[in-house]
Each structure stands twice: as structure tokens, then as C-alpha cells.
Amino acid sequence: MIKTIPTRPIDGQKPGTSGLRKKTRIFQDPGYLENFVQSIWNGIGGLEGKVLVLGGDGRFFNAQAAQIILRMAAAAGAARVIVGRDGLLSTPAASHLIRERGADGGVILSASHNPGGPDGDFGVKYNIANGGPAPEPVTEAIFRASQEVTQYHIVTAPDLDLSSPGTARLHRTEVEIIDPVGDYADLMETLFDFTAIRALFVGGFRMRFDAMHAITGPYAREILQDRLGAPEGSVVNATPLPDFGGGHPDPNPVWAHDLMTLMMGAQAPDFGAASDGDGDRNMVVGRGLYVTPSDSLAVIAANAHLVPGYAAGLKGVARSMPSSTALDRVAGELGIACHATPTGWKFFGNLLDAGLATLCGEESAGTGSDHIREKDGLWAVLMWLNILAARRQSVAEVMTAHWQRFGRNYYSRHDYEEVDAAAANALVSDLRARLDQLAGTRLGQLRVLEAEDFSYRDPVDGSVTTQQGIQIRFAEDARLVLRLSGTGTAGATLRVYLERFVAGPEGLDAEPQAALAEVIAAAEALCGIRTRLGRTAPDVVT
Ligand code: G1P
Ligand code: ZN
């Protein structure tokens, strides 16, 4: 039976950089999730007769939310919902499934790398038929629907048993429960030289993959250990937990601390990697050497021809504007286009669909290709393994060779988290108001070449997105970017992105924060971040 429940709009159901993210308790408020899900259905023109993919990263409230969404999809007349066992799917696997099955879209339950649990975060993201995050016009329509919703519809039925693959019926909707790992692992086999990577492990190559108690555990075990022969125990923290073991499942040197300690120590294996809560981010680290995501993207682009799935060459590449320009240098040499988009994976979808880019990535540990329409943590790890196998070099040797050839883009991001939102907004708007007067001025040792408020015109659909971060270029081959996070759930987070290029062959081995000292000082001179935000130092430096 379908029940119709009267409701009224709830403030703030506006999808951000990556879906709607809020504190778990807010999502648990009666009607909160239901309102947003109904707004998705309304915003996309209904669900009647459509096929939907559903799954999440297994965080606290994933299981209950999946049952509610199944009942609401049934009430909306969905023909079929394909759901991962126990309501689980990594974000990349969900993207692949939408594409493989020709589904009309998918709902992904995740707040990515944000902590989970009753006091953590929860999130809901809608992906469209190409498998990618809903683009701006769709998220706008969902937001509008959320401001107008007056009722939601839900089927009354007991919870479905999602614990094993099979099919079930909910009202008129068929629910197909699938193994979340198999199809994704098969896709990886089509892209990479599994034989060469297997030979690497036979030869004694050692790696550690830290799944951070999040969704990639089962995927990494199956692919790295079962299919590629990495020794048992190469994948650690491999059982997904609802609160990620109390940790912060964000694969960067700060949060993947144990892995970093191992990789910097005397017993370090050849290769270390980690992924985030929902499996779309990655971290790559060699023995004694952390590879920044921007460098990783550039290396992957420069070596993609060594990997079977990309042997035909790249159509183009894309990066988010704040990501380092290391990628641009590779693209220049390859003679292909390099697109700069606003932050957030949703802007890559059109470029990939139109064949304008094959690879894309962000400085925030996201790397991916046109095999799906999300960034993909394990894919990046396999890319590296395949490159190491083909080049027969260590991570450090690959990096040194890369910097010798292209020069090095020293890069870092300083985050000021959960700061006062009014102060952060004022800092950015005051700076915006001064942009016109900056060119030609000096900030400490650096001279401003140009200052702009980044806006992007999508080359495919012509849509324009404005105010995507303040970008300041210096004459000394340096760059500073400031923007406010669109994924936080408390206060505001200011991100300061710092970059400086050194052509080499000298000066390629500096400590990054030291190499960036003048850019850091310029940022402080420009807008007095620490005074205005009442902080003495950034909360996270990556
Ligand atoms: C952050 C990252 C961005 C990424 C997003 C989702 O968004 O900066 O690159 O796409 O998470 O993983 P932000 O909080 O900066 O808006
Ligand atoms: Zn993620």
C-alpha cells in the first residue's frame, strides 16, 4: 500500500560539491531524508517505470536509509532498483553499475571521507544515467523541488532482506540484490595488464593497501589479493565499519597516519595506498616518498600509454582549477588539451561524455578516467601498479624521472576547518572586491600577474558557473587559490592552495612547505587569514 505523508519544505536541502551532506542526526530527523528523496524524484521528473541503482559506503544509518529509499522508489513506481548486498556499493562501483545496466540513475549514500557514526556525517547523492554526479541544472531542480515539497509517498512494507544476492518485490517494483564487488573487479580486468601486475607480486614486490575500515576493503581484497596475488595481509583495515573504526577515512598523510609511518620507516614495502569512505579517493605513497595527488595525476597521464586500456592515447585531460598545473605540462608535451574546471567531479562528466578528456583529477586525491563517471580510488592504485610493472622502476625513480623531464610543481593545500562562517565569507568577499587592483602589486617577494574570480563555461552545454575560487598568479611561476569548501557540515572551511614551479634540473628535492614559503607568506599578506579567522595555523596541511 502506498501512504502519502504531508510534509513541508526543510531549509538547506541544497546539494553541495558532492550531494547533500549533513550531520547524521539531521538526516535521522523524521521526514528529513524522506523530504530530500521525494525532492530528488520530483526534481528529475518522477521515477515511474525507471531503473535505479542504490548503494552506499556502509556508514551508520546506511542500512535504514536504504530501506526507506527502496520503499519510496516503489511508491514512485520505479520498475526496478538494483541494490548492492546489504545496501553497499562503493561510489565507483555504483557509477559503473549505472552505466553497465543502462539505469536511469542512482542514489549513493555517503558523506565520502567525512567521519561516520551517530555524531558523524551522512550524505545522499544523485547520479544521472551516464553514471556521474548530477550536474548543476539537475541539482538545482532537486533543490527547487525541496523548497516546494508538500508530501512524500512511501510504501508500507517490512524491511527487505538485503543480505544475499537475489530478487525481491516491493509493491510493483522489482528489487535486484547484487554482489557489490564482482562487476567492478571485472571492469578493472579489462583496463589493466593483470598478468604484468601478478608477475610483480610473484617477484616479491610488497604493498600495503589501507582501506581505512571503509568500503574499499572487500574490493581491494578481491582485486589485489585474490585476483592479482598480493600476499594475504597486503590489504589492511579491510572490514567496513559503520563508524570507520572511529577514524577519519580520508586518504591523506594526516589521516592515513599509520600507513605514512610504515612507508617512511625502515620496513617500508615497495608501495602504499589508501582509499576513502566511499572508495573514490586515493593516496599513493612510495618507500620514503609521498606522491601528491596532483603529481600522481600528471604521472598517470604521462605513462597512460603503458596501460592496455589507454594504449591508444588520451583524447585530452582535465583537472579542477585549484589542482596543480603539473598536468598541464604533460598535456602540453603530449599535444592534447588540458581543461580546468571548477572543484567537484560533476564538471568532468560532460568532458568525458563528449570525448574531450580521457583522464581527469583533483588535488583532493581524486583521479579517474572515462571508464566510469566518478573518481576511482582503486583504479588509480591499479594504474600505478601497472605503470610500475611496465617501467620496472620504484615510485621514487618514477617521480624523479618525471620531475627531471617536466619540472616540479611544488604544491600544498592549507585548510582552516570549521571556522566562523561569517568571517570566512567576509574574507572571501573582501578579497573579491579588491581583485581588480591586485595586478602589478607585490605581496612579499612575489609580484601579482593576474587575479581573477574563477568562472567556467562548460564547452559542451554552454552553462556558466561563477565564483568558483579566487586565483592569483605570480610572475615567479607561482599561484595561490582560495575558496570555501562546499562539502563541510559545520561552520565554514577555507581552503588555501599553494603552488610554485621549479624547472630543474636543480632544486627538485626541496621540502614542499619550504619551497612554498613565499607563496604562504603572500597569502597571509594578501588577506590576513590567521588574524581574521582567529587561527594560528591551518588545521590540515596536505
Ligand atoms: C572537496 C574537494 C573536492 C572534491 C569534493 C568531493 O570539496 O575539495 O575536490 O571533489 O570534496 O570529494 P570541497 O569541500 O572543497 O568543496
Ligand atoms: Zn569519496
Side-chain angles (χ1 to χ4, degrees):
M1 198 188 69
I2 298 176
K3 271 205 307 194
T4 295
I5 316 272
T7 188
R8 61 165 74 121
I10 299 174
D11 262 358
Q13 294 201 329
K14 189 176 175 56
T17 314
S18 190
L20 183 68
R21 274 189 209 172
K22 298 284 172 193
K23 290 287 169 206
T24 311
R25 289 194 200 283
I26 294 183
F27 262 108
Q28 288 179 295
D29 277 346
Y32 192 93
L33 173 69
E34 291 84 345
N35 257 34
F36 187 63
V37 171
Q38 187 65 53
S39 304
I40 296 178
W41 302 166
N42 296 349
I44 61 170
L47 214 58
E48 185 65 42
K50 292 185 180 171
V51 176
L52 194 70
V53 164
L54 171 66
D57 63 11
R59 67 180 59 225
F60 182 82
F61 194 52
N62 187 115
Q64 296 93 312
Q67 296 286 350
I68 291 171
I69 295 169
L70 283 171
R71 286 199 280 270
M72 289 186 68
R80 192 148 42 96
V81 182
I82 305 165
V83 57
R85 189 181 55 234
D86 292 324
L88 298 179
L89 277 177
S90 75
T91 290
S95 180
H96 174 51
L97 208 57
I98 294 169
R99 297 167 65 76
E100 190 188 32
R101 299 296 199 87
D104 296 282
V107 175
I108 301 176
L109 308 175
S110 170
S112 188
H113 51 287
N114 295 15
D119 298 316
D121 293 342
F122 194 77
V124 175
K125 186 166 88 159
Y126 181 71
N127 280 28
I128 57 172
N130 75 352
E136 296 269 288
V138 179
T139 53
E140 275 303 314
I142 293 170
F143 178 52
R144 272 199 307 279
S146 80
Q147 295 173 305
E148 292 160 3
V149 66
T150 55
Q151 53 185 28
Y152 67 82
H153 312 285
I154 188 160
V155 161
T156 42
D159 280 358
L160 283 182
D161 177 5
L162 301 179
S163 65
S164 47
T167 53
R169 234 170 212 289
L170 203 51
H171 198 56
R172 292 178 359 251
T173 300
E174 184 178 294
V175 177
E176 183 184 346
I177 305 151
I178 56 134
D179 161 34
V181 176
D183 290 14
Y184 174 83
D186 293 346
L187 172 67
M188 294 300 114
E189 289 216 34
T190 67
L191 298 174
F192 299 103
D193 186 348
F194 269 41
T195 310
I197 302 173
R198 220 176 277 124
L200 204 59
F201 287 116
V202 170
F205 181 90
R206 292 189 306 132
M207 79 172 284
R208 172 168 295 186
F209 180 90
D210 191 337
M212 304 185 88
H213 306 289
I215 191 75
T216 43
Y219 294 86
R221 255 197 313 236
E222 160 114 14
I223 296 170
L224 300 173
Q225 294 185 178
D226 300 349
R227 299 199 187 192
L228 286 170
E232 192 69 37
S234 299
V235 180
V236 298
N237 300 324
T239 304
L241 300 174
D243 66 346
F244 308 118
H248 197 132
D250 195 2
N252 63 42
V254 178
W255 297 115
H257 182 256
D258 293 352
L259 180 66
M260 281 302 282
T261 309
L262 175 78
M263 296 307 298
M264 298 303 141
Q267 302 303 317
D270 301 283
F271 184 67
S275 189
D276 73 330
D278 62 331
D280 57 358
R281 293 187 174 199
N282 75 89
M283 169 170 137
V284 162
V285 49
R287 191 185 293 131
L289 179 77
Y290 166 69
V291 181
T292 69
S294 292
D295 274 346
S296 172
L297 176 62
V299 167
I300 286 175
N303 292 280
H305 61 280
L306 302 172
V307 177
Y310 306 89
L314 306 175
K315 296 172 185 154
V317 291
R319 61 166 173 88
S320 66
M321 177 278 281
S323 303
S324 98
T325 54
L327 181 66
D328 307 45
R329 297 187 184 272
V330 175
E333 195 141 315
L334 294 176
I336 55 175
C338 180
H339 305 265
T341 61
T343 296
W345 208 262
K346 60 188 167 197
F347 295 96
F348 293 134
N350 277 352
L351 299 174
L352 297 170
D353 282 351
L356 293 174
T358 307
L359 297 181
C360 40
E362 296 190 275
E363 52 67 42
S364 54
T367 329
S369 87
D370 58 1
H371 68 294
I372 54 171
R373 293 295 179 274
E374 288 277 5
K375 54 192 177 240
D376 190 343
L378 268 167
W379 171 91
V381 171
L382 291 167
M383 217 51 193
W384 266 93
L385 288 173
N386 201 146
I387 290 167
L388 295 177
R391 292 181 61 120
R392 298 169 192 278
Q393 282 179 317
S394 69
V395 173
E397 285 163 346
V398 170
M399 285 319 306
T400 304
H402 188 88
W403 292 329
Q404 291 291 346
R405 179 170 169 206
F406 297 99
R408 179 169 181 182
N409 291 74
Y410 286 99
Y411 188 82
S412 180
R413 190 181 89 196
H414 292 188
D415 291 336
Y416 297 82
E417 293 184 337
E418 297 193 15
V419 296
D420 180 60
N425 284 318
L427 186 151
V428 172
S429 51
D430 289 356
L431 180 56
R432 193 172 279 136
R434 288 194 285 142
L435 286 182
D436 287 351
Q437 297 124 51
L438 285 178
T441 60
R442 293 199 83 85
L443 290 172
Q445 303 299 310
L446 305 178
R447 190 166 61 82
V448 177
L449 266 189
E450 50 183 12
E452 63 157 352
D453 190 359
F454 183 67
S455 70
Y456 177 66
R457 185 176 184 282
D458 187 299
V460 180
D461 65 20
S463 61
V464 174
T465 312
T466 57
Q467 301 205 332
Q468 291 301 305
I470 289 170
Q471 173 168 232
I472 296 172
R473 268 188 246 277
F474 299 101
E476 294 77 9
D477 245 330
R479 190 171 71 121
L480 170 67
V481 173
L482 294 103
R483 62 177 280 281
L484 294 174
S485 157
T487 58
T489 55
T493 292
L494 177 72
R495 302 199 194 284
V496 183
Y497 307 82
L498 309 143
E499 178 175 9
R500 182 158 204 174
F501 178 68
V502 173
E506 302 304 316
L508 297 176
D509 296 314
E511 195 281 313
Q513 299 303 317
L516 292 165
E518 290 180 352
V519 194
I520 297 169
E524 202 48 43
L526 179 64
C527 39
I529 300 167
R530 296 174 191 195
T531 345
R532 292 189 66 152
L533 301 184
R535 296 289 169 92
T536 50
D539 299 275
V540 179
V541 172
T542 53

